Amino acid sequence: MSGSCKQTIIFKNRPKVLGSYSLVGPKEGEGNFGKFFHEVLKDDLYGEKSYEKAEFKMMHHTIARAINDAGLKVDEISALFAGDLMNQIISSSFSARALQVPYFGLFGACSTMAESLILGACFVDGGFGEKVACATGSHFSSAEKQFRYPLELGTQRPPTSQWTVTGMGCTILGRKNAGIGIDCGTIGKVVDWDVSDVNNMGAAMAPAAAELLNAHFIETNRKPDYYDLILTGDLGKLGSEILIDLMEYKGYHLGNNYCDCGQMMFDNSQKTFMGGSGCGCGASILNSYVFGRMKNHEISKVLFIATGALMSTLSSQQGNSIPCIAHAVSFFSEKENENV
Amino acid sequence: MSGSCKQTIIFKNRPKVLGSYSLVGPKEGEGNFGKFFHEVLKDDLYGEKSYEKAEFKMMHHTIARAINDAGLKVDEISALFAGDLMNQIISSSFSARALQVPYFGLFGACSTMAESLILGACFVDGGFGEKVACATGSHFSSAEKQFRYPLELGTQRPPTSQWTVTGMGCTILGRKNAGIGIDCGTIGKVVDWDVSDVNNMGAAMAPAAAELLNAHFIETNRKPDYYDLILTGDLGKLGSEILIDLMEYKGYHLGNNYCDCGQMMFDNSQKTFMGGSGCGCGASILNSYVFGRMKNHEISKVLFIATGALMSTLSSQQGNSIPCIAHAVSFFSEKENENV
C-alpha cells in the first residue's frame, strides 16, 4: 500500500473474480434486473417453514453455486467471508456449517458485500489462501420481522422507506491471468450525522458514502470519470440524491456513470417507495448484471460502494442515532490477450 | 502458507503485539485474575443509564487505552477489527464511531478475539496496514437480557450454565523486532454435534475446539507439549473436561499446560457454576495475565483458542442446534537480544 493512504489498499496481485452467483425472490425477479439474475425463486419461503430458514437455504445455495460457477469444488475454498442482517448472522453461520470451509463471520449490515470482498481480496493478495468465497444477502420478511414490525400487522410504510431485497450474492476470488479483477479497496470509517429515523436509511447512509468516496478519490488520485460505473449498494432514491449533492459540495461531479442498486432494483409500479435496500440489494446486482456487463466488455472500470447502517433495534430504542459505514471495491476487466 | 495446509496460516513477517489492555467488571475483579487486569470497574453500569451503553463505553475505553499502551495515536491505526455479542455488534460499531479509524465489523460470538487477531495478523503480515487494533468484549447484564431472561425475573440458573464475563480485551498488532509475536493461526470450520441446550455452551463448543486443535497439530506438525500454555477461551469446567476427553480420543494428551479461561476466571465462592463465558472472558485474560507472563519470560509459546457458539435466540426457538466454531492463534515471545 502507498504510505500516505489511510483507508485505501492497493492489491499488488490484483485478485480475480473466478465465479459468481445471484439468487433473488419473486418480487425482485419481476423488477428491472429480473433477466440478469442467475436464479429467481417462485416462492420466497423456498420450501421452508420460516423465512429465516429460507434465508439460510438461499445463502447456502448461492455460495455452493458460485463455487460451481468458478469450476471449483467446495474443499478448494480456503475461506468463506460472509455476513448478513440477522441477529448473530445465523444465515452465514448455518451456511458455513453446511459447506464445511474455514469461516470468518462478518457484520457490516448492508456494507457486507464490500467488506467481505476487501477482506477476501487481502487474504488472496497476501497469499494466505488460493481461493475464497465472499457472500452476503438479505430477506425482506425476516428483516421486517426483526427490525420493524411483524408483517401480519400490515403497518403503513412511510414515504422515505425502502424495501429490503430478498436476494443473495456470492463472489469467488482467486488468481488467474485475465478477466475481472480487484485493483484496490477503500475501508470505511463510521460516519454518523445524527439521523435517527430508521425509516430513512438512505439519508443516514449517504454521508458515509460521501466521506468514503472523497477518501477514495483523494488517496487514489482518481476522479469520478475514471470509472465507467460508480455503483452504490442501497442508498435508494433519496439517499443517492443526497450523495450526489454532498459530492458536488466536495467538488466531485457524479454524472451519468453513477447509479444506485436500490434505486434501480424495482420499477415504480412495485411500490417500494425509495427503492430496494438490504445487503442482498447490491450483492445480487453486482454478482449478475455488473459482472455480466464487464465480461461482455461493455464496461471495464467499476467502483462498487456498499453502505451499511450499523444500528440495532435496541440502540434505536435507547435513543442512539444511526452509525453508518461504507466500503468501496474497485474492479477492472482485462481481455484474455492483455497482460497483467 | 504451506500448500497442504487447509486451515492454518503461517505468518512470514510474524506480526508483533505492540500493546494491549483489559478492563473488567467488579465481580471479575474479585475473581482469580483481579490483580492482573489493567483496570477493574467499581460499578458495571460505568456511569451510564443502560448496560448496553456501559458495554460500548467499556470497549471504546479499552481500545483507546490499548492504543496508548502501544505508544501510538489513534490516527496511526490502519484498521480496527472488532466484534461483540450484541445484536448487530453495536458495542463495536459505536466504538468505531468514537475512534474514527477504518473498521471491519466481525461476528464470531465468543471466538471473536481469535478471529480478530487472525484477520488483523493477515492485514499486518500482508502489508495492508502498519498497525491494527483487535478487540472484543462482553457484559453479563446485556448478554443475559439479550440471550436469556431479564435479570429482574431472578430465573434459576441450571448447573451446566456459565457466567458471561463483564470484560474487554484489545491487542494492538504491528511490526517490531522483539517481544510477543504471532507465528501462525488456524481458522475454524463450523462444528455442530446437535447440542441445542443454550445453558450448556461448554458441551456445544468443545467439539469445535477439538476439531480445530486436531487440524492445528496435524497442519503445524506440532504436539501439545510444543506449547508452554494451551488456553481455551470459555469452555468452562464441563466443556474443558469434554475437550480433554475428545483430544485423548484423537491421540493427543492435553496435560498441565492446558487451561481454560472460563474455568479459571472465578473462584468457587462466586457461584458461577461452570465458570465464565463470553468473548470478554478469554480476551481479558489473554491481554493481561497471558501477555504479562510472556513479557516476563515465564512462558514463551502460547496457543490461544477462542470458541464461539453461533446461534441466535431465534435460531434456538426455531429448533436449530448450536453451530460452533473455534479459531487458534499461536503466540511466541522473543527476548530483546534475539534475532527474528
Side-chain angles (χ1 to χ4, degrees), chain A residues 252-282:
Chain A
Y252 294 103
H253 176 65
L254 296 182
N256 287 332
N257 61 341
Y258 169 64
C259 291
D260 176 69
C261 297
Q263 184 175 24
M264 298 188 298
M265 176 66 84
F266 299 105
D267 71 33
N268 283 337
S269 71
Q270 292 184 292
K271 293 183 181 169
T272 59
F273 301 153
M274 291 299 115
S277 67
C279 33
C281 184

Tab-separated table of all heavy atoms in Angstrom, chain A residues 252-282:
chain	number	residue	atom	x	y	z
A	252	TYR	N	-16.793	17.078	-6.440
A	252	TYR	CA	-16.814	15.946	-7.371
A	252	TYR	C	-18.187	15.838	-8.016
A	252	TYR	O	-19.203	15.775	-7.325
A	252	TYR	CB	-16.513	14.633	-6.638
A	252	TYR	CG	-15.108	14.549	-6.088
A	252	TYR	CD1	-14.876	14.747	-4.731
A	252	TYR	CD2	-14.032	14.273	-6.915
A	252	TYR	CE1	-13.590	14.669	-4.202
A	252	TYR	CE2	-12.742	14.197	-6.397
A	252	TYR	CZ	-12.528	14.394	-5.052
A	252	TYR	OH	-11.266	14.316	-4.532
A	253	HIS	N	-18.215	15.766	-9.354
A	253	HIS	CA	-19.475	15.633	-10.053
A	253	HIS	C	-19.735	14.165	-10.390
A	253	HIS	O	-18.984	13.547	-11.154
A	253	HIS	CB	-19.455	16.472	-11.331
A	253	HIS	CG	-20.700	16.316	-12.153
A	253	HIS	ND1	-21.946	16.726	-11.702
A	253	HIS	CD2	-20.893	15.768	-13.380
A	253	HIS	CE1	-22.852	16.447	-12.628
A	253	HIS	NE2	-22.243	15.862	-13.642
A	254	LEU	N	-20.767	13.596	-9.760
A	254	LEU	CA	-21.175	12.230	-10.113
A	254	LEU	C	-22.152	12.340	-11.280
A	254	LEU	O	-23.277	12.812	-11.116
A	254	LEU	CB	-21.843	11.537	-8.930
A	254	LEU	CG	-20.989	11.281	-7.690
A	254	LEU	CD1	-21.795	10.545	-6.629
A	254	LEU	CD2	-19.725	10.494	-8.013
A	255	GLY	N	-21.734	11.906	-12.429
A	255	GLY	CA	-22.543	12.081	-13.634
A	255	GLY	C	-23.357	10.854	-13.989
A	255	GLY	O	-23.812	10.118	-13.108
A	256	ASN	N	-23.509	10.623	-15.295
A	256	ASN	CA	-24.316	9.504	-15.772
A	256	ASN	C	-23.693	8.156	-15.446
A	256	ASN	O	-24.345	7.123	-15.592
A	256	ASN	CB	-24.516	9.604	-17.287
A	256	ASN	CG	-25.479	10.725	-17.630
A	256	ASN	OD1	-26.350	11.075	-16.832
A	256	ASN	ND2	-25.309	11.301	-18.816
A	257	ASN	N	-22.420	8.173	-15.036
A	257	ASN	CA	-21.786	6.903	-14.671
A	257	ASN	C	-22.103	6.489	-13.234
A	257	ASN	O	-21.634	5.470	-12.768
A	257	ASN	CB	-20.267	6.965	-14.881
A	257	ASN	CG	-19.607	8.029	-14.015
A	257	ASN	OD1	-20.277	8.941	-13.524
A	257	ASN	ND2	-18.298	7.914	-13.817
A	258	TYR	N	-22.897	7.293	-12.512
A	258	TYR	CA	-23.274	6.922	-11.144
A	258	TYR	C	-24.683	6.327	-11.085
A	258	TYR	O	-25.632	6.899	-11.649
A	258	TYR	CB	-23.193	8.124	-10.194
A	258	TYR	CG	-23.840	7.811	-8.857
A	258	TYR	CD1	-23.301	6.828	-8.032
A	258	TYR	CD2	-25.022	8.424	-8.453
A	258	TYR	CE1	-23.907	6.478	-6.839
A	258	TYR	CE2	-25.637	8.092	-7.254
A	258	TYR	CZ	-25.076	7.112	-6.456
A	258	TYR	OH	-25.687	6.750	-5.281
A	259	CYS	N	-24.808	5.200	-10.433
A	259	CYS	CA	-26.120	4.576	-10.216
A	259	CYS	C	-26.173	4.000	-8.810
A	259	CYS	O	-25.140	3.781	-8.175
A	259	CYS	CB	-26.338	3.417	-11.186
A	259	CYS	SG	-26.543	3.905	-12.882
A	260	ASP	N	-27.374	3.736	-8.333
A	260	ASP	CA	-27.561	3.068	-7.046
A	260	ASP	C	-28.418	1.818	-7.249
A	260	ASP	O	-29.474	1.883	-7.892
A	260	ASP	CB	-28.248	4.012	-6.046
A	260	ASP	CG	-28.537	3.321	-4.729
A	260	ASP	OD1	-27.564	3.019	-4.005
A	260	ASP	OD2	-29.712	3.041	-4.440
A	261	CYS	N	-27.953	0.703	-6.715
A	261	CYS	CA	-28.678	-0.562	-6.903
A	261	CYS	C	-30.082	-0.485	-6.312
A	261	CYS	O	-31.035	-1.026	-6.881
A	261	CYS	CB	-27.926	-1.721	-6.258
A	261	CYS	SG	-26.305	-2.031	-6.977
A	262	GLY	N	-30.218	0.167	-5.156
A	262	GLY	CA	-31.530	0.272	-4.523
A	262	GLY	C	-32.507	1.049	-5.382
A	262	GLY	O	-33.686	0.684	-5.498
A	263	GLN	N	-32.010	2.107	-5.995
A	263	GLN	CA	-32.860	2.932	-6.852
A	263	GLN	C	-33.300	2.169	-8.095
A	263	GLN	O	-34.406	2.372	-8.597
A	263	GLN	CB	-32.062	4.176	-7.261
A	263	GLN	CG	-32.844	5.172	-8.074
A	263	GLN	CD	-32.040	6.430	-8.353
A	263	GLN	OE1	-30.810	6.401	-8.329
A	263	GLN	NE2	-32.715	7.522	-8.611
A	264	MET	N	-32.430	1.286	-8.586
A	264	MET	CA	-32.697	0.626	-9.875
A	264	MET	C	-33.438	-0.698	-9.744
A	264	MET	O	-34.025	-1.172	-10.707
A	264	MET	CB	-31.369	0.351	-10.585
A	264	MET	CG	-30.553	1.593	-10.928
A	264	MET	SD	-29.139	1.169	-11.972
A	264	MET	CE	-28.220	0.062	-10.896
A	265	MET	N	-33.372	-1.316	-8.564
A	265	MET	CA	-33.834	-2.708	-8.423
A	265	MET	C	-35.279	-2.912	-8.872
A	265	MET	O	-35.591	-3.830	-9.632
A	265	MET	CB	-33.655	-3.145	-6.963
A	265	MET	CG	-34.172	-4.520	-6.608
A	265	MET	SD	-33.293	-5.902	-7.384
A	265	MET	CE	-31.897	-6.150	-6.279
A	266	PHE	N	-36.180	-2.052	-8.378
A	266	PHE	CA	-37.611	-2.251	-8.649
A	266	PHE	C	-38.123	-1.195	-9.626
A	266	PHE	O	-37.553	-0.102	-9.729
A	266	PHE	CB	-38.398	-2.152	-7.341
A	266	PHE	CG	-38.013	-3.179	-6.316
A	266	PHE	CD1	-37.249	-2.831	-5.208
A	266	PHE	CD2	-38.408	-4.514	-6.456
A	266	PHE	CE1	-36.888	-3.778	-4.255
A	266	PHE	CE2	-38.051	-5.459	-5.504
A	266	PHE	CZ	-37.284	-5.094	-4.397
A	267	ASP	N	-39.239	-1.479	-10.327
A	267	ASP	CA	-39.834	-0.405	-11.124
A	267	ASP	C	-40.929	0.274	-10.298
A	267	ASP	O	-41.352	-0.225	-9.255
A	267	ASP	CB	-40.289	-0.895	-12.506
A	267	ASP	CG	-41.508	-1.786	-12.465
A	267	ASP	OD1	-42.374	-1.588	-11.599
A	267	ASP	OD2	-41.602	-2.689	-13.309
A	268	ASN	N	-41.343	1.436	-10.736
A	268	ASN	CA	-42.237	2.263	-9.920
A	268	ASN	C	-43.550	1.564	-9.560
A	268	ASN	O	-44.123	1.815	-8.502
A	268	ASN	CB	-42.540	3.581	-10.641
A	268	ASN	CG	-41.369	4.544	-10.520
A	268	ASN	OD1	-40.566	4.429	-9.597
A	268	ASN	ND2	-41.259	5.468	-11.463
A	269	SER	N	-44.017	0.684	-10.452
A	269	SER	CA	-45.293	0.008	-10.188
A	269	SER	C	-45.203	-0.930	-8.993
A	269	SER	O	-46.217	-1.374	-8.463
A	269	SER	CB	-45.727	-0.775	-11.430
A	269	SER	OG	-44.878	-1.900	-11.603
A	270	GLN	N	-43.987	-1.222	-8.541
A	270	GLN	CA	-43.833	-2.186	-7.444
A	270	GLN	C	-43.950	-1.542	-6.067
A	270	GLN	O	-43.849	-2.230	-5.049
A	270	GLN	CB	-42.492	-2.932	-7.598
A	270	GLN	CG	-42.477	-3.856	-8.828
A	270	GLN	CD	-41.196	-4.664	-8.928
A	270	GLN	OE1	-40.127	-4.118	-9.175
A	270	GLN	NE2	-41.297	-5.962	-8.724
A	271	LYS	N	-44.159	-0.236	-6.034
A	271	LYS	CA	-44.459	0.484	-4.796
A	271	LYS	C	-43.477	0.216	-3.661
A	271	LYS	O	-43.865	-0.153	-2.544
A	271	LYS	CB	-45.881	0.146	-4.331
A	271	LYS	CG	-46.929	0.691	-5.293
A	271	LYS	CD	-48.328	0.427	-4.797
A	271	LYS	CE	-49.345	0.962	-5.799
A	271	LYS	NZ	-50.710	0.521	-5.526
A	272	THR	N	-42.221	0.368	-3.958
A	272	THR	CA	-41.233	0.202	-2.888
A	272	THR	C	-40.771	1.558	-2.367
A	272	THR	O	-39.819	1.636	-1.595
A	272	THR	CB	-40.002	-0.581	-3.392
A	272	THR	OG1	-39.423	0.149	-4.484
A	272	THR	CG2	-40.399	-1.964	-3.876
A	273	PHE	N	-41.435	2.628	-2.799
A	273	PHE	CA	-41.099	3.992	-2.375
A	273	PHE	C	-39.660	4.353	-2.773
A	273	PHE	O	-39.387	4.534	-3.937
A	273	PHE	CB	-41.391	4.207	-0.894
A	273	PHE	CG	-42.845	3.971	-0.549
A	273	PHE	CD1	-43.232	3.572	0.709
A	273	PHE	CD2	-43.851	4.150	-1.512
A	273	PHE	CE1	-44.568	3.350	1.023
A	273	PHE	CE2	-45.192	3.934	-1.204
A	273	PHE	CZ	-45.538	3.524	0.069
A	274	MET	N	-38.728	4.403	-1.820
A	274	MET	CA	-37.374	4.863	-2.172
A	274	MET	C	-36.525	3.779	-2.839
A	274	MET	O	-35.372	4.006	-3.159
A	274	MET	CB	-36.652	5.406	-0.928
A	274	MET	CG	-37.229	6.717	-0.408
A	274	MET	SD	-37.135	8.057	-1.616
A	274	MET	CE	-38.881	8.350	-1.928
A	275	GLY	N	-37.095	2.584	-3.030
A	275	GLY	CA	-36.374	1.524	-3.732
A	275	GLY	C	-35.918	0.402	-2.828
A	275	GLY	O	-36.404	0.248	-1.707
A	276	GLY	N	-34.980	-0.378	-3.307
A	276	GLY	CA	-34.514	-1.547	-2.573
A	276	GLY	C	-33.477	-1.200	-1.526
A	276	GLY	O	-32.848	-0.148	-1.573
A	277	SER	N	-33.316	-2.089	-0.547
A	277	SER	CA	-32.259	-1.954	0.458
A	277	SER	C	-31.831	-3.350	0.886
A	277	SER	O	-32.268	-4.345	0.334
A	277	SER	CB	-32.762	-1.148	1.659
A	277	SER	OG	-33.759	-1.873	2.342
A	278	GLY	N	-30.970	-3.408	1.876
A	278	GLY	CA	-30.509	-4.711	2.370
A	278	GLY	C	-29.218	-5.119	1.695
A	278	GLY	O	-28.913	-4.681	0.588
A	279	CYS	N	-28.450	-5.977	2.387
A	279	CYS	CA	-27.158	-6.351	1.799
A	279	CYS	C	-27.328	-7.166	0.534
A	279	CYS	O	-26.431	-7.225	-0.304
A	279	CYS	CB	-26.256	-7.061	2.807
A	279	CYS	SG	-27.044	-8.081	4.017
A	280	GLY	N	-28.502	-7.788	0.349
A	280	GLY	CA	-28.743	-8.544	-0.874
A	280	GLY	C	-28.967	-7.670	-2.092
A	280	GLY	O	-28.883	-8.158	-3.226
A	281	CYS	N	-29.263	-6.398	-1.872
A	281	CYS	CA	-29.579	-5.497	-2.987
A	281	CYS	C	-28.358	-5.297	-3.891
A	281	CYS	O	-28.360	-5.686	-5.066
A	281	CYS	CB	-30.084	-4.171	-2.420
A	281	CYS	SG	-30.618	-2.981	-3.660
A	282	GLY	N	-27.309	-4.745	-3.340
A	282	GLY	CA	-26.093	-4.557	-4.127
A	282	GLY	C	-25.431	-5.878	-4.479
A	282	GLY	O	-24.902	-6.041	-5.584
